[in-house]
Amino acid sequence: MKTFCGRANPTTGALDWVEESEEYDYHQEIARSCYADMLHDHDRNDKYYKGIRAAVSRIKARGERVVVLDIGTGTGLLSMMAVTAGADFCYAVEVFKPMAEAAQCIVKKNNFSEKIKIINKHSSDVTVGPDGDMHEKANLLITELFDTELIGEGALPSYEHAHQNLVKAGCEAVPHRATVYAQLVESELLWSWAQLQPAEVEGARLVPPPAVGRCAGAHSVCDIQLSQVSPSSFTPLSPLCTMFSVDFSKPVSSAFRSNSARFVAQSGGRAQVVLSWWDLDMDPSGAVVCSMAPSWTYPQPATAPWRDHWMQSVYFLPAEIPVAEQEELSLTVCHDDYSLWYSLQSHSSSLQDGRAQTPASRPCCICQAHLVWTRPRFGELNDRRRTGSYVEALRSVLSEDSVCLSVSDASLLPVFAHMLGAKKVFSLENSRMSKQVIEQISVLMGEPYFSTSLLPWHSLFFWYCRTALAGLLRPGAAILPCSASLHVVAVEFQDLWRIRAPCGTCEGFDVTPMDEMVQRSLDFRESREAEPHPLWEYPCRALTQSAAVMTFDFTQCVPKQPISSQGSLPLIRTGRCHGVALWMEYHLTDDVTVSGGLTQPISEQGSCEWSRHRKQGVYFLRTAWDSSGDGRAAVSYSFTFEPSSGDIKMDFSIEGP
């Protein structure tokens, strides 16, 4: 069955009515899921397996049957581990129907159907009794309910319900315990993602409005690959603090809690940011630990396991606080059933100096900016080099009689234009569309940035706005940026390839039904589409030169006919080509360009440095290609820009000798 769905087109700005299969949403969810990444995480799998074997042995040693409840079973991997370790029966709960069906196939394929029952429900709906989903309560609770923040997927309510209704008192649990750690730091880089900073323009200081400057921001976590943030980018003000632990073998509460860690500041500075991660103890003794710590905490960083399903967390204090070396401080973490937030208190004589933050007070945005701007957007607006590029470009096109119109979301360009002496400046944003422009425009400008953009080329919405405003532009009006170009480079990913790689066999179990499920969803739609990723978090090597494959001339209106481009990129470096990275570069003037992708030339070894402000596009090849680096093999590409829809259709293939 098909249905018409109304979707806002991020490129054209129009509401498109698209005929979609009723299966579209879940195919998209499966195609973009992290199931493969989790199964490729051998460290996680191995630690779970060890914890399960030890728990089964402890129960057997007490002379009891081992009845397992596996909540969030996914592929059924942990249940199969439990049965292999000697469990008598497993109830495996999975709420997502396609995944539950795949788990059923996997369990059958591995000959565990008689000992594993797949229950396609949320665990809070599972019943126990002669006619229930479970015939008896479990004495071994196995779960994988965690996200980067530990509790963001509802782990606490699920555990709370399970202990009240589904497991026996004194049950074993794998994992046995979770512990949350935090470190207070000063970091200009990370703090730039939280608050709008003053900017210098033409010798004048541009200061954020008081409401923005006083705003505590949103309490939502910023989850990133902290391993890619160099320790040189921050100054630790505290030791690594143990904030709290949760024992999953005992009743768990989802009620509000707070915990504090007291310490002496190890250096002076501005307390701004809390770095946080957690560990899982798979057994009561803590002998088997699965850690989410970033790689730079390891004696040998290269040995740290890579995961995209569990990263690290960055929390921003409501306001930066100056601290002195050796000052006595307390870092407090609060949590409800789904989220965490942090605050800082002083125990020195400065208790009354107004610096203490109320622990129970959840940060709340009062300026609205934190509700509509992403963290990278704050970083982009605070980027001094980027601001300098826009100021340089504006200075070259503005005169004292310039009438400017800015078309971007959350842009400072109108303020810059005013400070540079423009006669009049208008700003047009999606959230403020009611005001009419009634004067002919001599300068049309944009970053371009729009809150609805997901992929790099969605910012071509600026081009459609420019076309719609053509009647308001004076003859010879300056357009800034004057053009944009789409760039590509073929890459070898260090780790990101795992999210798309088939698993086949995982820890000795055949999970090919999951591979087939993901591939069906990819074939449904996603296999011919790029997906957005912040590549500064995901190291890769360029195996080709980068190339501009399409150019969009903003001095002209959007054309009526499609624009096409074909070509090839010779593979000039050895490596395994996993796919192609794509990004946009904006040519503000003939001399000033701002990149949403590579920020430095590719090194001779193929190392890439990516913008932290924008996500790039990634197109994964269906099959990776081993490059000999002699240039005889090449990545062929084909692009077509469809003006009517704003879509860019693309195709890539490998041509080898």
Side-chain angles (χ1 to χ4, degrees):
M1 179 178 176
K2 294 188 178 239
T3 184
F4 280 97
C5 301
R7 290 194 170 92
N9 188 310
T11 307
T12 66
L15 180 64
D16 293 340
W17 288 94
V18 183
E19 189 179 38
E20 296 285 13
S21 165
E22 62 182 2
E23 299 178 337
Y24 173 77
D25 286 336
Y26 87 70
H27 275 302
Q28 188 175 51
E29 183 172 347
I30 292 169
R32 298 288 174 87
S33 70
C34 291
Y35 294 125
D37 167 43
M38 296 175 72
L39 294 183
H40 282 297
D41 186 349
H42 174 71
D43 179 75
R44 178 199 82 121
N45 300 340
D46 178 60
K47 301 291 176 55
Y48 261 100
Y49 213 165
K50 288 177 179 176
I52 289 169
R53 284 196 290 263
V56 170
S57 295
R58 289 194 298 273
I59 297 172
K60 291 283 189 183
R62 298 197 292 264
E64 301 176 26
R65 292 177 66 252
V66 181
V67 179
V68 176
L69 172 60
D70 176 8
I71 301 178
T73 192
T75 58
L77 175 67
L78 303 184
S79 288
M80 293 189 294
M81 288 179 175
V83 171
T84 303
D88 294 280
F89 197 82
C90 292
Y91 296 101
V93 181
E94 174 56 50
V95 69
F96 188 42
K97 185 177 180 181
M99 196 71 248
E101 292 173 348
Q104 191 74 61
C105 294
I106 291 169
V107 165
K108 182 177 180 180
K109 194 175 188 69
N110 288 274
N111 300 313
F112 290 115
S113 296
E114 292 185 2
K115 289 199 170 185
I116 298 176
K117 178 183 179 181
I118 304 297
I119 303 171
N120 180 207
K121 287 184 175 182
H122 191 281
S123 63
S124 61
D125 296 325
V126 171
T127 57
V128 180
D131 299 321
D133 302 304
M134 299 172 60
H135 292 167
E136 58 184 315
K137 289 187 176 182
N139 56 4
L140 174 53
L141 176 58
I142 300 174
T143 57
E144 208 287 59
L145 298 170
F146 314 113
D147 68 347
T148 294
E149 201 174 17
L150 181 68
I151 65 174
E153 290 186 359
L156 295 182
S158 295
Y159 272 112
E160 186 174 43
H161 177 270
H163 276 285
Q164 290 172 353
N165 301 278
L166 306 178
V167 298
K168 296 177 180 178
C171 72
E172 298 282 348
V174 180
H176 178 81
R177 180 190 306 110
T179 304
V180 174
Y181 302 93
Q183 186 169 38
L184 181 69
V185 305
E186 173 185 345
S187 173
E188 182 179 353
L189 168 66
L190 298 178
W191 187 245
S192 73
W193 297 349
Q195 300 289 355
L196 193 60
Q197 307 298 316
E200 299 287 338
V201 179
E202 295 295 278
R205 185 174 173 83
L206 178 62
V207 179
V212 176
R214 295 193 306 267
C215 184
H219 81 280
S220 58
V221 64
C222 175
D223 54 338
I224 64 172
Q225 291 284 0
L226 202 53
S227 296
Q228 300 307 313
V229 176
S230 169
S232 63
S233 298
F234 59 86
T235 301
L237 304 180
S238 76
L240 185 62
C241 301
T242 301
M243 299 308 302
F244 69 92
S245 293
V246 183
D247 185 337
F248 298 125
S249 68
K250 298 177 181 178
V252 172
S253 172
S254 61
F256 170 87
R257 293 283 177 87
S258 66
N259 299 82
S260 296
R262 190 164 178 165
F263 60 90
V264 173
Q266 60 188 49
S267 63
R270 294 170 297 158
Q272 299 168 322
V273 177
V274 176
L275 311 181
S276 183
W277 57 87
W278 44 269
D279 288 350
L280 294 176
D281 289 332
M282 294 299 182
D283 65 325
S285 69
V288 182
V289 180
C290 186
S291 175
M292 307 310 125
S295 61
W296 36 259
T297 65
Y298 284 67
Q300 295 180 305
T303 64
W306 182 85
R307 333 178 199 272
D308 199 41
H309 52 100
W310 295 331
M311 296 187 282
Q312 294 80 38
S313 300
V314 173
Y315 297 90
F316 304 98
L317 294 180
E320 63 179 7
I321 298 177
V323 300
E325 187 175 359
Q326 297 300 304
E327 184 174 2
E328 293 186 12
L329 301 167
S330 283
L331 184 65
T332 298
V333 61
C334 300
H335 72 79
D336 53 20
D337 47 353
Y338 281 92
S339 60
L340 309 177
W341 61 96
Y342 284 84
S343 59
L344 185 67
Q345 299 82 39
S346 172
H347 293 277
S348 303
S349 58
S350 56
L351 265 175
Q352 306 303 318
D353 65 2
R355 293 186 297 159
Q357 298 168 349
T358 306
S361 176
R362 183 200 302 267
C364 178
C365 176
I366 60 172
C367 72
Q368 307 302 311
H370 297 88
L371 303 180
V372 295
W373 298 356
T374 63
R375 304 293 190 192
R377 180 57 177 164
F378 274 98
E380 191 167 48
L381 293 173
N382 288 326
D383 187 327
R384 297 185 185 92
R385 180 181 298 180
R386 185 176 178 279
T387 294
S389 296
Y390 277 97
V391 170
E392 179 185 351
L394 280 170
R395 189 185 295 116
S396 70
V397 300
L398 289 177
S399 62
E400 62 183 12
D401 65 344
S402 292
V403 177
C404 304
L405 173 62
S406 173
V407 180
S408 281
D409 287 348
S411 178
L412 298 179
L413 292 188
V415 183
F416 295 164
H418 171 73
M419 298 177 74
L420 290 167
K423 175 184 176 182
K424 190 172 291 187
V425 183
F426 298 95
S427 180
L428 191 62
E429 299 199 16
N430 283 332
S431 58
R432 303 282 184 181
M433 298 296 287
S434 58
K435 293 185 177 179
Q436 296 182 348
V437 179
I438 58 175
E439 188 166 349
Q440 281 207 322
I441 306 302
S442 56
V443 177
L444 177 66
M445 57 193 182
E447 300 198 33
Y449 170 83
F450 303 99
S451 58
T452 54
S453 298
L454 295 175
L455 289 161
W457 44 92
H458 289 168
S459 58
L460 290 176
F461 179 55
F462 176 80
W463 202 10
Y464 287 83
C465 291
R466 176 259 182 270
T467 302
L469 295 167
L472 295 174
L473 301 179
R474 292 178 185 174
I479 311 294
L480 188 156
C482 58
S483 64
S485 49
L486 176 64
H487 293 246
V488 301
V489 64
V491 297
E492 173 186 49
F493 284 109
Q494 180 175 302
D495 295 295
L496 190 62
W497 60 270
R498 302 173 196 271
I499 69 173
R500 281 297 184 87
C503 294
T505 300
C506 179
E507 311 305 330
F509 302 101
D510 187 343
V511 295
T512 52
M514 189 214 67
D515 293 335
E516 293 164 358
M517 176 190 72
V518 172
Q519 192 58 56
R520 283 194 300 271
S521 291
L522 288 170
D523 291 341
F524 183 82
R525 175 69 56 84
E526 300 291 328
S527 59
R528 295 303 179 192
E529 294 182 2
E531 54 191 65
H533 290 285
L535 292 185
W536 73 269
E537 295 185 52
Y538 304 111
C540 60
R541 288 179 57 245
L543 301 183
T544 67
Q545 301 284 12
S546 63
V549 294
M550 300 190 87
T551 299
F552 311 95
D553 185 358
F554 296 157
T555 65
Q556 305 296 317
C557 292
V558 176
K560 301 293 184 183
Q561 301 301 318
I563 302 173
S564 297
S565 171
Q566 296 83 34
S568 61
L569 301 169
L571 289 159
I572 59 173
R573 297 183 183 89
T574 58
R576 191 164 178 79
C577 183
H578 296 115
V580 177
L582 306 98
W583 69 97
M584 296 288 282
E585 295 191 358
Y586 302 102
H587 311 291
L588 307 185
T589 65
D590 292 339
D591 303 317
V592 182
T593 294
V594 173
S595 175
L598 288 174
T599 58
Q600 298 289 336
I602 297 168
S603 74
E604 290 187 12
Q605 294 75 32
S607 297
C608 301
E609 291 188 24
W610 299 96
S611 168
R612 285 187 167 96
H613 307 316
R614 304 262 178 132
K615 289 184 178 181
Q616 294 72 44
V618 176
Y619 185 106
F620 289 98
L621 298 176
R622 179 164 294 195
T623 304
W625 178 275
D626 291 317
S627 167
S628 60
D630 58 10
R632 292 190 297 164
V635 178
S636 295
Y637 60 81
S638 172
F639 289 89
T640 300
F641 169 67
E642 297 284 355
S644 60
S645 65
D647 289 341
I648 294 182
K649 299 185 183 302
M650 62 190 71
D651 192 25
F652 296 92
S653 61
I654 301 290
E655 294 181 353

